[in-house]
Amino acid sequence: MKPMTIRPGVYPVGAVDWDRRLFDALVPLPDGTSYNSYLVQGSEKTALIDTVDPSKQGVLLEHLKELDIKNIDYVVSHHAEQDHSGALPMVLAEYPGAKIVCSQKCKGMLIDHLMIPEDRFITVADYETLSLGNRTLEFIYTPWVHWPETMVTYLREDKLLFTGDFFGSHLATSDLYVVDEGQAYESAKRYFAEIMMPFRTNIQRNLDKLRNYTIDVIAPSHGPLYNRPEFILKLYHSWVFDEPDSVAVIAYVSMHGTTQKMVEYMTEALSQKGVCVKQFDLVEVDIGKLAMALVDAATLVVGTPTVLAGLHPKVAYAAILANALRPKLKFATAIGSYGWGGKAIEQQQSLVPNLSVEFLAPVLVKGFPREADFVALDNLASLIAEKHKVLPMPSSWHISRV
Ligand code: FEO
């Protein structure tokens, strides 16, 4: 069976991974993923855009054979991570005349990771072009989405933008293009939160670089293609440029119910004062959901008991993760309980040096909270609500943003 067609002579030849449930031994994939690769035929030359994860290289090869591709001149490598580059050695062996086209940085990484010989590379500069005859590839550097070597490729005559991980989503689907924008929003936001959010400033610059291109289709290396590019462009614009919303994320662990009592009280108090709350029990949390909540949140409230005189290890894990994801939080605080003392709060603050937040005074309770402790929680909720007054309330993506 022949692959679908994006344009005459432009085909998706990658692989859908319906069953993968974890990426980078960290990121949950509730809806699977795909490793998108594209074949572009010009009147004189043929280019393959990215490859696939090595576990699916047989699928890529099968698709190329179904299209009866006897010769590949160029393999454009946007990004050296192995889910897109891992099948390069197989492609180079099957097509001995093929050269890898990539940035100088990417070349070094591909040699480091895959031991590809120097003479199989052509490096390209920012905005450099490569003719396929009647089609032209233009390479645009988009560093740090999400590694330093990343770039995208604009197929000028067709107004197609191949973007590697940029704008991707972990979503296994048989649809070539986005069909359900609600589902695409969820998958793309999860992807952004877990992969792209730490590089918001770089993404701002990269979005600016793409501003003057007329784009009919965005073809990322994960998930369905966007034939309504403004959908994903506006979402990214909002995620990287907009102020956070009036959202407080409460992430907590409770061993004997005391911290949970405080968390429940805090959630209620904040809600009554008009702050949107997203509450997560860290014992069973889907970290993708937590990361997504942090995309728009202004405040992080950590609820922790004291274990062995310090933070609960699951809270420490969440703090390290939040620190790595660098969300646009403005405020952070903690609530929780202890039996005889400890350094849980100091430890927590030391784990989040990347967060440019104002730390609000925590509410820590010895044993079960008493009336004065609930008053302190009320005061903390009032302080958060006051600070959120200037922030917008969260709204539906389909009404306000796209
Ligand atoms: Fe999809 Fe960064 O690899």
Side-chain angles (χ1 to χ4, degrees):
M1 213 179 346
K2 276 196 172 183
M4 291 181 265
T5 303
I6 300 169
R7 297 281 186 270
V10 182
Y11 308 97
V13 290
V16 178
D17 198 339
W18 296 91
D19 301 323
R20 188 160 179 179
R21 287 293 170 265
L22 200 61
F23 201 86
D24 289 345
L26 174 70
V27 176
L29 303 181
D31 301 311
T33 190
S34 66
Y35 319 108
N36 300 344
S37 171
Y38 303 95
L39 190 87
V40 181
Q41 292 178 310
S43 55
E44 292 170 19
K45 304 281 187 186
T46 297
L48 183 67
I49 311 284
D50 287 318
T51 70
V52 297
D53 189 84
S55 63
K56 295 288 181 189
Q57 63 182 21
V59 177
L60 170 61
L61 192 58
E62 201 176 306
H63 286 157
L64 294 173
K65 291 202 165 145
E66 284 161 355
L67 287 168
D68 200 23
I69 303 303
K70 300 270 192 304
N71 185 54
I72 290 175
D73 300 283
Y74 307 116
V75 186
V76 176
S77 182
H78 289 128
H79 175 31
E81 194 165 10
Q82 288 88 334
D83 52 325
H84 312 294
S85 68
L88 277 171
M90 179 277 288
V91 170
L92 296 182
E94 287 286 328
Y95 297 93
K99 298 270 191 193
I100 297 174
V101 178
C102 64
S103 67
Q104 186 68 35
K105 268 205 177 85
C106 189
K107 175 183 171 182
M109 290 176 160
L110 291 174
I111 291 173
D112 288 345
H113 289 292
L114 299 169
M115 293 167 284
I116 294 171
E118 285 257 358
D119 64 358
R120 299 302 298 266
F121 287 93
I122 298 170
T123 56
V124 288
D126 200 7
Y127 299 114
E128 194 171 330
T129 59
L130 184 64
S131 174
L132 304 180
N134 62 342
R135 284 187 152 121
T136 314
L137 303 176
E138 179 180 351
F139 307 105
I140 306 159
Y141 281 18
T142 49
W144 293 108
V145 288
H146 59 122
W147 282 14
E149 84 293 12
T150 45
M151 67 176 193
V152 301
T153 298
Y154 185 60
L155 182 57
R156 274 186 185 167
E157 292 75 10
D158 301 87
K159 301 182 178 61
L160 296 178
L161 187 68
F162 301 103
T163 58
D165 279 351
F166 201 11
F167 307 122
S169 62
H170 283 311
L171 177 62
T173 173
S174 59
D175 298 319
L176 179 60
Y177 297 103
V178 167
V179 172
D180 178 345
E181 289 191 339
Q183 184 187 44
Y185 167 79
E186 180 89 6
S187 298
K189 189 173 189 180
R190 177 183 280 267
Y191 191 87
F192 171 85
E194 293 166 327
I195 309 279
M196 299 290 172
M197 185 157 62
F199 308 107
R200 283 201 319 279
T201 312
N202 305 82
I203 293 173
Q204 289 175 353
R205 283 195 284 269
N206 291 332
L207 288 176
D208 283 341
K209 284 183 83 170
L210 298 178
R211 203 179 289 275
N212 294 327
Y213 289 83
T214 303
I215 302 168
D216 285 349
V217 171
I218 287 179
S221 61
H222 295 287
L225 287 68
Y226 304 92
N227 54 4
R228 207 169 74 80
E230 62 273 24
F231 166 75
I232 192 69
L233 287 169
K234 284 183 181 174
L235 285 174
Y236 262 70
H237 196 277
S238 147
W239 293 335
V240 300
F241 282 107
D242 287 0
E243 284 282 288
D245 292 335
S246 178
V247 172
V249 168
I250 304 184
Y252 77 101
V253 171
S254 186
M255 296 192 301
H256 302 294
T258 308
T259 300
Q260 183 166 6
K261 180 78 188 165
M262 297 175 73
V263 163
E264 285 167 358
Y265 189 90
M266 192 66 179
T267 295
E268 185 69 21
L270 283 168
S271 304
Q272 283 185 1
K273 294 173 199 304
V275 175
C276 173
V277 182
K278 296 182 180 177
Q279 183 186 311
F280 296 91
D281 180 346
L282 294 171
V283 175
E284 299 290 348
V285 73
D286 167 351
I287 59 165
K289 286 274 188 195
L290 175 60
M292 285 167 71
L294 289 172
V295 170
D296 309 307
T299 296
L300 175 62
V301 180
V302 173
T304 183
T306 305
V307 183
L308 302 173
L311 269 185
H312 192 288
K314 283 184 182 283
V315 174
Y317 170 73
I320 290 170
L321 184 69
N323 186 61
L325 295 178
R326 296 172 185 249
K328 49 189 174 189
L329 290 166
K330 287 179 171 291
F331 312 102
T333 189
I335 59 178
S337 65
Y338 60 93
W340 53 88
K343 295 197 175 299
I345 298 306
E346 293 88 328
Q347 281 181 356
Q348 182 200 327
Q349 291 192 2
S350 74
L351 292 176
V352 290
N354 292 342
L355 300 185
S356 307
V357 292
E358 177 186 347
F359 286 102
L360 309 178
V363 177
L364 288 184
V365 173
K366 189 167 191 293
F368 201 80
R370 310 297 203 276
E371 198 178 331
D373 303 314
F374 289 118
V375 171
L377 287 173
D378 259 328
N379 290 340
L380 179 55
S382 296
L383 179 61
I384 292 170
E386 182 63 30
K387 290 190 179 282
H388 278 217
K389 260 188 181 162
V390 293
L391 299 175
M393 288 304 290
S395 48
S396 302
W397 62 272
H398 58 281
I399 293 172
S400 67
R401 291 190 165 139
V402 183

